[in-house]
Structure formats: C-alpha cells, structure tokens
Amino acid sequence: MDDLEFRKRIYAEPKCQDDAVRQAMQEDKHKRKFYDEMGLLEQKIEQALDVPVSEGLQSKIILRQSIQEKSKQPKVSKAYIAIAASIAFVFGMTINHFLANQNSFNVTEMALAHVYHEMQSHGNLDLDLDINTVNAKLAAYGAQFEKEIGHIYSANFCQIKNTRALHLVLAGQHGQINVFIMPKANDATGWDSVSDNKLTTRSSRYQSADLIYVAPKAENLDAVQDSIENKISWRI
Amino acid sequence: MIGNFLRKKKTQTQVLVGMKEKQIQYEALVSAYHKDMYRYAYWLTHDQHIAEDIVQETFLRAWKSLDSLLDANAAKSWLITILRRENARRFERKQFDMTEYEEHNIHDDNADTEQNVEQQLLQRKIANLPVEYREPLLLQVVVGFSGDEIAKQLELNKNTVMTRLFRARNMLKEALDSGNSERSANG
C-alpha cells in the first residue's frame, strides 16, 4: 500500500484495523506514526462531538409516548359506553311505557260509572236548558250545535280521569241520554261499545274531541249518534 | 353475544400483554439510543431545542411503527432513517433559516484551558463543515456506522462515502493545525 493510499484510508477510517493496514504499519514506522497521530485527532473529534444530553430527554420521550397512548384509550371504552347507553335507553323506554300504561284508563267504563253515580245523586235534575247555554259551554271544545237537540236536562263539566268533559243529559225515546264531550284522550282505551244489563254505550272520535254516549239499552243509540253529530259543527 | 363478549375480553387481555411487551421494548430502545440520536440531531441542526424536538418526534414515530421493527440489529439505522426524514420534514414545513452555530450552546465551564480552546475550535469547524461531509462523519463517529452502512443510509456508493470522510477529517485537521500554529505564533 503506497503512502497516499494509506493516508486516504486512515483519514476516512482512522480506526481501520484490516490486514493491509496492519501490514503497512509493520513495514513502515512513518505509517505507524501517522496512524497514531490520526488516532489522537479522532479522539479530539469524538470529544468535540460528544455534547451533553439533557438528563430529562429520556423521560420526555417516554412521557410523550405515554400521553399519546392515553389519548388513544377512550376508543377502547367507546363500545362500553355505547352498551351502557343502550341499556339506559331501553330501561328509560320501559319505565316510560310502564308509566304510560298506568296512566291509560278505560274511558267507557269511567263514563258508565259516572252515569250510575249521577243517577243516584241527582237523577231528577231538570234544568231545561236552552241550546245557547249549552253552546256557551261547548265553545271550550271548539264545537257548537247548529240546531235544536231536544230537551236538555243538564249540561255540566265533570272530570273523567284527568280530563275535563262536558256532560250533557238529553231526552231520548226510552229515558235520558248522556253525552260526554271531551278533549282528545289519547292515553285512554276502551272506545268500543259496551252494554250491561241497563245501559249501552257508543263513542265517536273526532280530530279535536271525543264523544261518548251512554243511554238505556232500549235506546237506538246509532240513530241518536247520527242525529247529534249532524247538528254539531267543529271550529277546530 | 355473551360468549362473544368474553372472547373479546380474552383477546383484549392478550392485547394488553402485547402492549406491555411493546412498552418494555420501546423503553429499551429509547434508553439505548436516545443519546446518539440527540447528538446526531444536534450536529445536524446546531440547536439544542430543535434537536430535542426532532428526537422526540423520531421516537414517537418509532413507537407508532414499532411492530414493523423485526430485527433488533437494524434498530439504529431504522431510527436514523426516521430521524433524517423528520429533519427533512422540518424544512418542508417552513423555509427554515439554518440556525447559526453558537459556541455557548456547548459546555463552556472552564473556558480557557488550551484543551478547551482547541475543542471549541474543532466544534466550530465541525458545525461549519458542509452537510455532505458532516453527515457521513456523524454517522461514523456518533452513530458508529461502517462505511457500508453509511453508504446504504445516505444512498451513496461506498467510494463516495470514503472520499467524503477523508475530506471531512482533512478539513478538520488543517483547521486544527493552523489554529495551533497561530496560537504558537501568538504565544
């Protein structure tokens, strides 16, 4: 290995220990000297490059990684939150449904009970009202009678469950006909006709109000229903 | 569904065990290489804070793709690749003014011994080496790469790498020699 090549080798790789380099040093002490000098320079370069590293750096690196990991964790539990939310939702719906069912009531039964109760307490009441008095009260339901509806024994507001109804007592062929006019009772059930040994019922459901008829069994309630409802007009 | 749930839980436990192993592997990687990586970054950027940022970014990226590191022997060159990319990204983000090398960045304790004067001169000269000479030198001295590894990392042929290493040391030696003769002349 000539001098120039040797120097180039050592400049590029001062710690080179391969056979050719070793042999060259053994044969030529100038080369050995040059190698040692370059070794000293290399030591200085190493020291110069060996800048201090801030002690906290390692912790900072690991901290950043662990924060990154932590911020990813909610993704894992999202499924659990979704399941919990679903359970809560179903639970809420069940409770709601249960309470709604509790609120619902059989409207025909209540009307019947009301009629029986009134028959006992003031069955003989006859106020002989005119149609205008009735219409004044009916206005609260957005309705009015366009024509006479025959004899009117009474027209009183009464309470069916939580609903305020207008209770009309009219004259029928076979006794008194009770008509309840009430705001839409959507949570009520029992709109079908029923009869017991004395009375029979009908119901009509309009857009803004419900009507329930209770009359003696012998009464032709279908005809009564038609006649009344032909005379009524709705403003709402 | 419950079966599914339990099965899922089981795989989650396995994932957790896997996570713990990954964490241990990661911390070992940080412990073994953060100093070399910092020094390499420092001599690329000449700024302590930028260097620390780059090193932190490097390890964060390393964490994200730690699964792709299959060979522990390749860890160092893998990290260097990430770090060099991270440094390049810094230039893409904004037209970065190359930070001027400042001496006081480096230890400055007992400033006036002759050895320190020489070291400071050497540091200044290293910092001012053109990057194509500086980088192979850093890979060799700081990172401990062989000529072949440097060639692979920098995508150069080995002869080019050896020539650059020769020139880098030649420049430093000349600077030191002239510095020493100046001091002898003054002294």
Side-chain angles (χ1 to χ4, degrees), chain B residues 63-184:
Chain B
W63 165 259
K64 287 175 193 163
S65 52
L66 194 57
D67 297 332
S68 71
L69 175 67
L70 302 172
D71 179 5
N73 295 323
K76 216 174 190 178
S77 61
W78 181 66
L79 285 172
I80 288 285
T81 304
I82 301 174
L83 191 148
R84 294 184 71 236
R85 210 181 292 142
E86 209 51 52
N87 187 45
R89 204 168 273 135
R90 187 171 66 99
F91 287 93
E92 282 166 20
R93 273 201 293 269
K94 44 185 172 178
Q95 272 324 84
F96 216 91
D97 296 326
M98 193 64 178
T99 321
E100 281 298 313
Y101 171 75
E102 288 176 58
E103 264 173 67
H104 63 257
N105 278 344
I106 307 175
H107 31 99
D108 202 14
D109 314 302
N110 6 325
D112 279 339
T113 68
E114 189 174 337
Q115 201 191 347
N116 271 334
V117 172
E118 196 179 58
Q119 193 177 66
Q120 282 170 17
L121 174 70
L122 197 50
Q123 285 177 333
R124 203 158 51 234
K125 290 296 167 189
I126 293 171
N128 290 330
L129 281 178
V131 71
E132 64 263 35
Y133 297 123
R134 196 178 350 127
E135 222 179 352
L137 186 71
L138 294 174
L139 287 173
Q140 192 184 46
V141 181
V142 175
V143 184
F145 275 0
S146 70
D148 287 316
E149 286 170 318
I150 298 168
K152 201 175 162 199
Q153 181 67 252
L154 299 181
E155 293 173 344
L156 297 169
N157 76 50
K158 195 187 169 186
N159 284 337
T160 310
V161 169
M162 295 323 256
T163 305
R164 290 186 184 182
L165 285 168
F166 162 77
R167 290 202 180 139
R169 282 203 180 76
N170 201 21
M171 289 182 218
L172 296 178
K173 189 166 189 299
E174 278 175 10
L176 273 191
D177 289 347
S178 69
N180 285 340
S181 58
E182 262 174 43
R183 272 202 306 283
S184 324

Side-chain angles (χ1 to χ4, degrees), chain A residues 175-218:
Chain A
Q176 291 182 331
I177 296 167
N178 299 270
V179 184
F180 295 91
I181 298 145
M182 50 199 282
K184 292 296 287 180
N186 283 328
D187 46 1
T189 58
W191 298 99
D192 296 334
S193 303
V194 293
S195 304
D196 61 13
N197 49 5
K198 273 189 189 166
L199 301 171
T200 187
T201 73
R202 290 286 184 285
S203 64
S204 302
R205 307 206 69 191
Y206 285 88
Q207 207 174 347
S208 57
D210 295 320
L211 271 70
I212 296 181
Y213 299 83
V214 182
K217 234 177 164 177

Side-chain angles (χ1 to χ4, degrees), chain A residues 88-100:
Chain A
F89 180 73
V90 170
F91 184 72
M93 290 300 280
T94 312
I95 290 281
N96 243 348
H97 187 68
F98 181 71
L99 289 178

Side-chain angles (χ1 to χ4, degrees), chain A:
Chain A
M1 196 185 285
D2 71 26
D3 203 44
L4 185 63
E5 200 197 331
F6 182 82
R7 283 173 176 254
K8 274 185 88 172
R9 269 305 279 288
I10 302 306
Y11 262 109
E13 219 177 337
K15 289 183 174 172
C16 180
Q17 285 281 350
D18 72 16
D19 292 343
V21 169
R22 275 196 230 178
Q23 203 187 334
M25 284 194 292
Q26 271 174 2
E27 288 166 5
D28 182 348
K29 60 179 181 182
H30 293 294
K31 283 180 182 151
R32 172 87 232 176
K33 193 170 170 257
F34 178 75
Y35 184 90
D36 292 342
E37 275 173 18
M38 285 305 289
L40 273 176
L41 174 69
E42 192 60 11
Q43 228 175 17
K44 288 176 187 170
I45 292 175
E46 279 172 10
Q47 280 169 7
L49 288 173
D50 193 26
V51 291
V53 180
S54 119
E55 275 187 24
L57 183 59
Q58 182 174 359
S59 317
K60 275 189 210 163
I61 293 167
I62 290 168
L63 181 69
R64 259 184 84 172
Q65 171 262 334
S66 67
I67 288 171
Q68 164 108 0
E69 269 316 283
K70 218 171 189 176
S71 68
K72 269 164 62 184
Q73 271 173 6
K75 281 182 189 162
V76 179
S77 57
K78 256 185 188 164
Y80 293 98
I81 293 170
I83 290 168
S86 302
I87 291 169
F89 180 73
V90 170
F91 184 72
M93 290 300 280
T94 312
I95 290 281
N96 243 348
H97 187 68
F98 181 71
L99 289 178
N101 277 347
Q102 260 199 342
N103 266 338
S104 76
F105 54 95
N106 188 312
V107 75
T108 308
E109 276 176 20
M110 297 201 77
L112 267 174
H114 189 79
V115 170
Y116 279 118
H117 176 75
E118 293 236 316
M119 271 166 36
Q120 278 174 358
S121 53
H122 37 265
N124 303 323
L125 185 71
D126 184 2
L127 300 173
D128 190 16
L129 300 173
D130 67 31
I131 193 79
N132 293 327
T133 314
V134 173
N135 275 342
K137 292 184 173 178
L138 256 187
Y141 302 91
Q144 68 171 36
F145 285 111
E146 304 282 6
K147 293 174 185 166
E148 292 292 334
I149 49 168
H151 187 76
I152 305 165
Y153 290 95
S154 66
N156 288 314
F157 288 112
C158 64
Q159 203 74 19
I160 292 186
K161 191 78 179 177
N162 295 322
T163 308
R164 193 166 180 251
L166 181 62
H167 181 193
L168 304 179
V169 183
L170 311 174
Q173 304 282 332
H174 303 274
Q176 291 182 331
I177 296 167
N178 299 270
V179 184
F180 295 91
I181 298 145
M182 50 199 282
K184 292 296 287 180
N186 283 328
D187 46 1
T189 58
W191 298 99
D192 296 334
S193 303
V194 293
S195 304
D196 61 13
N197 49 5
K198 273 189 189 166
L199 301 171
T200 187
T201 73
R202 290 286 184 285
S203 64
S204 302
R205 307 206 69 191
Y206 285 88
Q207 207 174 347
S208 57
D210 295 320
L211 271 70
I212 296 181
Y213 299 83
V214 182
K217 234 177 164 177
E219 197 71 46
N220 183 356
L221 253 188
D222 292 332
V224 172
Q225 203 174 2
D226 277 352
S227 146
I228 297 271
E229 281 167 31
N230 278 332
K231 291 171 186 163
I232 212 165
S233 76
W234 301 93
R235 271 181 291 136
I236 308 170

